[in-house]
Amino acid sequence: MTISPLLKHETMRHLITFIGALMATVLLHAQNNKPFSPAKFQEELERFIAKEARLTSAEQTAFFPVYREMMEKQRKLFDEARQLCKKKPTTDDACRDIIKKKDKMEMEQKKIQQTYHNKFLTILAPGKVFDVLKAEDRFHRGLLRNKAGEHQKKERK
């Protein structure tokens, strides 16, 4: 299966935004001495997507279980990639191996995303899938903006 360059760029942008927002959310909750709740994060994300994409109750019931399945598969790969990079290897060969493994994992994430986007298109109209993806991106960007704003406020104090 080949992935077009445009799709690669777009899906990479979505993935980076998602990963960044997830990390920002974890850090934000940690700094506020509130434990991060993955369930609450997922609930807020789904509520935002449902509202922004104007999903009906029936559409939400059909769509979100498949969406959660995709997120779980991507999260597993992200966690594996993060574990690879926790400590810098001591040799160039080891660094090269980790870089190649991480690249392979990122391509696997793209394949997962492409597979699930195709599944989404069997559940929702293409326009709704487009709105879902746009809403997801806005949600994650909003988290990053909020995180950056809070960080700046703390630095001013």
Side-chain angles (χ1 to χ4, degrees):
M1 171 170 54
T2 60
I3 302 173
S4 74
L6 182 59
L7 182 61
K8 280 184 188 178
H9 174 73
E10 188 65 22
T11 55
M12 182 61 89
R13 187 175 60 84
H14 284 292
L15 183 63
I16 290 170
T17 303
F18 166 73
I19 290 168
L22 186 60
M23 289 171 40
T25 303
V26 170
L27 290 172
L28 174 64
H29 285 286
Q31 287 180 350
N32 290 336
N33 295 324
K34 296 177 187 173
F36 173 71
S37 168
K40 185 177 179 187
F41 174 84
Q42 189 70 31
E43 181 182 316
E44 289 173 8
L45 172 63
E46 289 180 17
R47 187 175 27 252
F48 185 83
I49 288 172
K51 180 183 174 200
E52 292 292 308
R54 297 172 311 281
L55 298 179
T56 66
S57 294
E59 289 171 328
Q60 290 177 49
T61 300
F63 173 74
F64 281 120
V66 178
Y67 180 79
R68 285 184 216 112
E69 187 179 294
M70 177 190 75
M71 298 292 284
E72 183 59 32
K73 288 181 179 183
Q74 288 182 318
R75 191 173 298 116
K76 282 181 183 179
L77 281 172
F78 171 72
D79 289 344
E80 288 176 30
R82 192 178 71 210
Q83 289 297 319
L84 280 176
C85 297
K86 275 196 168 195
K87 186 177 177 188
K88 183 178 177 180
T90 57
T91 68
D92 283 345
D93 286 340
C95 286
R96 182 178 294 106
D97 288 344
I98 287 178
I99 290 167
K100 287 182 179 187
K101 285 178 186 175
K102 193 169 181 216
D103 286 347
K104 188 176 180 179
M105 288 177 178
E106 287 175 2
M107 290 303 293
E108 184 60 32
Q109 286 176 325
K110 293 297 153 220
K111 288 177 186 176
I112 291 168
Q113 192 173 41
Q114 186 179 38
T115 298
Y116 278 89
H117 286 178
N118 288 329
K119 288 182 182 185
F120 297 166
L121 290 167
T122 66
I123 299 168
L124 301 172
K128 289 263 184 149
V129 173
F130 182 89
D131 291 341
V132 163
L133 298 176
K134 194 169 183 176
E136 178 186 41
D137 192 43
R138 273 197 306 262
F139 180 83
H140 295 307
R141 287 178 184 269
L143 284 176
L144 290 173
R145 258 188 246 112
N146 290 343
K147 175 65 179 146
E150 288 184 18
H151 180 70
Q152 288 175 350
K153 285 179 186 176
K154 286 183 180 185
E155 285 182 346
R156 287 184 208 140
K157 288 182 180 180

